[in-house]
């Protein structure tokens, strides 16, 4: 079968496809599987209960049911949700947000596809602009969304702070950073997938100042952050003004199946998203915003984040770190400081094989992780560190995390001999 050149981007190897494929394959595998790969959020009983109850009452209400399922939403997204979210952001953070500053997409992954391709690539004045990732490792899902044959990403190496015997933390190498008109936008996930890093307020304010001065928008990917799902375990102040594009999602609340992304940005960007929604999919899905509006209306959303979701993940991360510290005490491993999201990022210094080879060995033993080399969008230089790290998702049931970590320890111990 022959395709146009457009199809080439869907024919080459992609870390994102591997990741999503693994989730499917692991689901149907014959033997025991310990799924510490992928980005599935945890199942939290109290959260599921409230979501089921809220959905059940929407289903019983014939007007809500018809509007949610039986009609196309506005291409900018459900107005009731836009108004409620704008009010919440004004009241909670004092941001000057109106419904004109918010649009819904079919998942935040598609928000990035549209934003990156609208802000990077060829411009009418002949310039070719890129998306700057001021700190990598960064989210693997960004890597393959570029529609241009030329690379649209400019990724930077972090500086590394070694902490104690077995922790470390990445920082933005601010001294080496220049933001200028070769950049269409600056983008950072906070908390960061894959590392669990939360860039400090100081780092974020510096990025904000530098990008504002250069007239370049700052994209903050808050898929795990504030105001929801609030998976941040350290002090961190959220930031927004009309030079910031804040991307949010319902997925990590436990609702990835609803495919609902949210963009909070200048009305010119919202206008673009509205039109793209209409052209590409007529309208964004209606179930996610309707459910989220009901949760916001009842004040359940913030309550769930603060009293269920954050404490749940804090407990899970402590458990996973304890397991690593005890079972890998004799292995040269450092774990990135776990400040948020649902991942641990393990660095095996001088690992005798690559992280990709380690991944293959682990799959044979039923353990799925993500090898680290995929998480460097736009960083072209060789750097051995890329092949020494793996990402674990610790949201799986405790018994799977325990088995998985024990098999990883065993496998890596044998490698170091
Ligand atoms: N951003 C980050 C950092 C993510 O980890 C993910 C998913 O794992 C997304 C964006 C995309 O989320 P979704 O398309 O489910 O809204």
């Amino acid at each position: 079968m022959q395709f146009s050149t457009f199809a080439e981007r869907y024919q080459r190897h992609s870390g994102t496809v591997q990741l999503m494929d693994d989730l499917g394959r692991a689901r149907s595998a014959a033997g025991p599987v310990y799924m510490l790969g992928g980005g599935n959020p945890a199942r939290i009983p109290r959260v599921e209960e409230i979501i089921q109850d809220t959905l059940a009452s929407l289903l019983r209400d014939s007007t809500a049911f018809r509007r949610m399922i039986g009609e196309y939403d506005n291409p900018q997204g459900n107005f009731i949700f836009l108004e409620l979210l704008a009010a919440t952001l004004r009241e909670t953070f004092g941001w000057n947000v109106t419904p004109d500053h918010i649009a819904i997409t079919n998942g935040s992954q598609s928000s990035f596809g549209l934003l990156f391709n609208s802000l990077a690539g060829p411009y009418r004045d002949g310039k070719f602009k890129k998306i700057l990732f001021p700190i990598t490792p960064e989210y693997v899902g960004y890597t393959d969304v570029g529609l241009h044959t030329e690379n649209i990403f400019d990724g930077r190496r972090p500086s590394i702070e070694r902490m104690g015997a077995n922790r470390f933390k990445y920082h933005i190498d601010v001294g080496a950073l220049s933001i200028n008109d070769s950049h269409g936008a600056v983008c950072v996930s906070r908390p960061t997938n894959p590392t669990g890093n939360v860039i400090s307020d100081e780092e974020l304010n510096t990025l904000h100042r530098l990008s504002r001065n250069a007239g370049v928008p700052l994209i903050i990917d808050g898929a795990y952050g504030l105001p929801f799902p609030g998976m941040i375990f350290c002090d961190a102040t959220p930031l927004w003004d009309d030079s910031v594009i804040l991307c949010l999602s319902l997925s990590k609340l436990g609702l990835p199946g609803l495919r609902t992304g949210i963009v909070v940005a200048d009305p010119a960007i919202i206008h673009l998203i509205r039109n793209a929604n209409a052209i590409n999919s007529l309208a964004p899905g209606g179930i996610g915003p309707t459910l989220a509006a009901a949760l916001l209306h009842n004040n359940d959303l913030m309550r769930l984040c603060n009293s269920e979701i954050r404490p749940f993940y804090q407990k899970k991360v402590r458990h996973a770190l304890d397991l690593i510290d005890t079972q890998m005490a004799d292995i040269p491993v450092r774990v990135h400081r776990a400040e948020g999201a649902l991942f641990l990022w393990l660095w095996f210094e001088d690992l005798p094989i690559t992280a990709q080879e380690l991944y293959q060995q682990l799959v044979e033993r039923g353990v799925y992780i993500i090898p680290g080399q995929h998480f460097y969008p736009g960083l072209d230089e060789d750097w051995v560190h890329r092949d020494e790290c793996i990402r674990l998702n610790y949201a799986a049931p405790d018994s799977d995390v325990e088995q998985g970590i024990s098999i990883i320890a065993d496998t890596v111990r044998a490698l170091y001999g």
Side-chain angles (χ1 to χ4, degrees):
M1 180 70 133
Q2 292 210 320
F3 296 106
S4 73
T5 51
F6 173 78
E8 285 166 14
R9 62 190 294 260
Y10 299 119
Q11 290 175 308
R12 52 184 179 238
H13 177 79
S14 153
T16 314
V17 176
Q18 176 183 326
L19 187 150
M20 297 311 294
D21 227 31
D22 274 359
L23 282 179
R25 230 161 359 115
R27 262 193 193 167
S28 51
V33 161
Y34 310 105
M35 176 40 84
L36 313 187
N40 267 336
R43 303 194 54 182
I44 308 176
R46 181 70 190 133
V47 174
E48 288 193 346
E49 198 182 305
I50 296 213
I51 285 169
Q52 279 181 341
D53 287 351
T54 312
L55 265 178
S57 53
L58 287 169
L59 294 178
R60 279 195 303 270
D61 173 340
S62 58
T63 311
F65 175 75
R66 189 172 43 81
R67 294 197 60 186
M68 178 168 75
I69 287 174
E71 292 174 10
Y72 289 111
D73 247 338
N74 177 292
Q76 190 181 331
N78 176 318
F79 273 137
I80 296 171
F81 175 65
L82 300 185
E83 275 180 7
L84 276 166
L85 181 60
T88 304
L89 296 176
R90 282 195 304 272
E91 283 155 24
T92 316
F93 303 123
W95 297 342
N96 190 15
V97 173
T98 70
D100 291 344
H101 293 91
I102 310 177
I104 306 299
T105 65
N106 287 318
S108 153
Q109 184 70 18
S110 52
S111 313
F112 289 105
L114 178 67
L115 289 168
F116 288 175
N117 285 297
S118 300
L119 294 164
Y123 276 61
R124 283 245 174 259
D125 62 4
K127 290 204 176 80
F128 189 96
K129 301 198 183 199
K130 295 193 173 189
I131 304 295
L132 173 68
F133 298 114
I135 181 166
T136 59
E138 230 339 329
Y139 173 48
V140 59
Y142 300 149
T143 315
D144 299 312
V145 303
L147 289 170
H148 305 281
T149 39
E150 212 172 313
N151 177 16
I152 58 163
F153 299 125
D154 175 8
R156 300 299 168 85
R157 253 162 93 147
S159 63
I160 297 180
E161 180 188 0
R162 288 161 198 267
M163 309 173 104
N166 51 11
R167 296 284 184 273
F168 76 110
K169 179 169 163 68
Y170 295 124
H171 299 279
I172 296 179
D173 190 355
V174 176
L177 201 66
S178 115
I179 301 174
N180 52 52
D181 70 354
S182 71
H183 297 122
V186 178
C187 176
V188 67
S189 61
R190 189 186 196 229
T192 305
N193 173 2
T195 55
N197 197 5
V198 174
I199 64 161
S200 67
D201 286 355
E202 198 187 330
E203 286 174 308
L204 189 64
N205 290 334
T206 305
L207 282 185
H208 186 219
R209 182 171 44 78
L210 294 177
S211 47
R212 238 197 123 97
N213 289 348
V216 174
L218 171 62
I219 301 175
I220 302 174
D221 181 350
Y224 303 87
L226 296 167
F228 48 80
M231 290 153 63
I232 293 190
F233 319 136
C234 61
D235 289 337
T237 316
L239 172 80
W240 185 85
D241 67 16
D242 58 4
S243 69
V244 171
I245 304 173
L246 176 63
C247 295
L248 300 171
S249 165
L250 297 188
S251 294
K252 310 304 167 176
L253 287 166
L255 302 167
L258 291 180
R259 309 307 305 126
T260 304
I262 300 150
V263 179
V264 186
D266 183 90
I269 290 168
I270 298 310
H271 194 75
L272 190 81
I273 296 174
R274 185 199 68 165
N275 289 2
N277 277 343
I279 290 166
N280 296 328
S281 34
L282 303 184
I287 302 178
T290 309
L291 173 64
L295 292 169
L296 272 176
H297 185 73
N298 300 340
N299 264 331
D300 277 337
L301 192 58
M302 298 310 166
R303 207 161 39 77
L304 282 180
C305 295
N306 294 329
S307 56
E308 302 292 337
I309 296 176
R310 184 178 313 112
F312 180 91
Y313 282 102
Q314 276 178 305
K315 194 164 159 227
K316 294 284 287 181
V317 75
R318 272 197 301 270
H319 178 59
L321 283 169
D322 283 348
L323 290 168
I324 290 171
D325 287 344
T326 46
Q327 299 196 24
M328 299 194 193
D330 57 333
I331 293 172
V333 63
R334 282 182 187 273
V335 187
H336 192 283
R337 196 146 91 175
E339 297 172 321
L342 41 77
F343 309 108
L344 288 177
W345 181 249
L346 275 59
W347 174 21
F348 299 108
E349 228 170 338
D350 300 323
L351 186 68
I353 59 172
T354 64
Q356 174 67 24
E357 289 161 338
L358 174 59
Y359 159 79
Q360 276 149 357
Q361 290 197 10
L362 290 171
V363 168
E364 275 163 33
R365 301 182 69 179
V367 179
Y368 286 80
I369 52 95
I370 307 287
Q373 79 276 7
H374 294 302
F375 294 90
Y376 296 85
L379 185 77
D380 294 330
E381 59 193 273
D382 280 338
W383 185 26
V384 68
H385 185 78
R386 295 164 78 129
D387 291 315
E388 294 180 337
C389 298
I390 61 170
R391 190 196 78 178
L392 306 190
N393 176 335
Y394 55 79
D398 283 351
S399 55
D400 289 19
V401 175
E402 284 156 18
Q403 280 297 324
I405 288 177
S406 152
I407 294 172
I408 296 168
D410 218 42
T411 310
V412 175
R413 185 175 298 109
L415 292 172
Y416 280 108

